[in-house]
Amino acid sequence: MLVLAVAQPDCVSYDVAKNAVRQAEMVRRAEARVVIFPELSLTGYHVDAPAITMEDSRLEPIVEACAEAGAVALVGAPVKEAGLEYIATLAVDGGGAKVAYRKVHVHSSEERFACGQRPEVIEVDGLRLGLAICRDMGIAQHAEDTAALGIDVYAAGVVHQAAEVAVQEERARRIATDHHVWVAVASFAGPTGGGFEHTAGRSGFWSPGGELVAQAGPEPGEVVRLTIG
């Protein structure tokens, strides 16, 4: 059995240190093995935010929270590797942070960032989580390629406008039913950059049959949990 959580942090634009403290608090509150956060959760959706490194001391509150809770946190941040910058998902646990996934299908407004080259999977307690970031969910090939790696859960961190809740939910249902996997979506709530003054929130979980089984509201601060396995 694996307890997953999707979290909607109250994010401060560009302030990695403050956001890390808030997301550490959510890891403790979630009481989950894996806690999934939205796209660029550590900076807010600001495509000009400076890239961070895995040795950044500002990540330490999340590392400490994961050590205490026995959790893995999937947080979003811009990173730089070998001269290229990516929108990334970091996997943070009690031992530190690593880049777990680089967004494959970057938007035209994200031209600063290179495209990740392949789908990625992390394994936690025997369950395999395929990773995605926002626009990836709208590209059928991404879900197909990720599912082909043998996954139990398709886990995505996203940012959507409040008016795009139906799009967010349709994508989750489609992936769940097409590939018969659980889908977990952590969706940004509250205002952020890039013109996203009113974001969707409503993070949730969809069953392999496409049924919505748990969902947050539109406000920041919520955590929703689900036990699978």
Side-chain angles (χ1 to χ4, degrees):
M1 306 294 286
L2 187 71
V3 180
L4 304 176
V6 288
Q8 296 180 177
D10 188 1
C11 187
V12 181
S13 294
Y14 299 103
D15 196 333
V16 173
K18 186 168 287 186
N19 291 327
V21 169
R22 291 182 176 184
Q23 287 164 46
E25 293 170 353
M26 297 189 89
V27 167
R28 292 185 176 93
R29 179 155 57 92
E31 298 182 340
R33 183 72 172 95
V34 179
V35 187
I36 305 158
F37 288 90
E39 180 178 19
L40 294 176
S41 65
L42 287 174
T43 59
Y45 185 78
H46 296 280
V47 296
D48 60 341
I52 70 170
T53 69
M54 299 307 95
E55 295 75 36
D56 194 316
S57 63
R58 294 173 297 179
L59 297 176
E60 191 58 32
I62 303 177
V63 174
E64 292 176 357
C66 288
E68 292 172 17
V72 177
L74 300 177
V75 300
V79 301
K80 187 172 184 177
E81 300 174 311
L84 296 175
E85 294 184 304
Y86 300 93
I87 295 175
T89 298
L90 315 184
V92 185
D93 61 18
K98 65 179 181 180
V99 177
Y101 175 70
R102 302 153 190 85
K103 187 175 184 178
V104 171
H105 298 284
V106 299
H107 194 272
S108 59
S109 63
E110 301 164 344
E111 60 183 10
R112 161 192 170 188
F113 297 102
C115 295
Q117 296 303 301
R118 59 187 179 275
E120 298 283 359
V121 171
I122 65 168
E123 187 167 319
V124 181
D125 298 347
L127 266 71
R128 293 172 60 81
L129 287 76
L131 305 181
I133 300 175
C134 207
R135 187 169 179 261
D136 292 331
M137 291 188 72
I139 309 297
Q141 190 66 49
H142 184 271
E144 183 175 334
D145 292 345
T146 305
L149 298 177
I151 63 173
D152 303 289
V153 181
Y154 184 93
V158 309
V159 180
H160 283 296
Q161 300 283 2
E164 297 175 324
V165 170
V167 173
Q168 177 173 293
E169 294 181 351
E170 185 281 327
R171 289 177 177 178
R173 282 193 301 271
R174 171 181 52 78
I175 293 167
T177 55
D178 285 356
H179 303 289
H180 203 68
V181 295
W182 288 95
V183 173
V185 177
S187 180
F188 213 104
T192 188
F196 289 91
E197 289 301 313
H198 303 284
T199 54
R202 301 196 181 278
S203 302
F205 294 97
W206 285 257
S207 73
E211 178 185 2
L212 176 63
V213 295
Q215 188 172 43
E219 301 299 325
E222 292 196 52
V223 176
V224 175
R225 302 165 72 247
L226 181 75
T227 302
I228 66 170

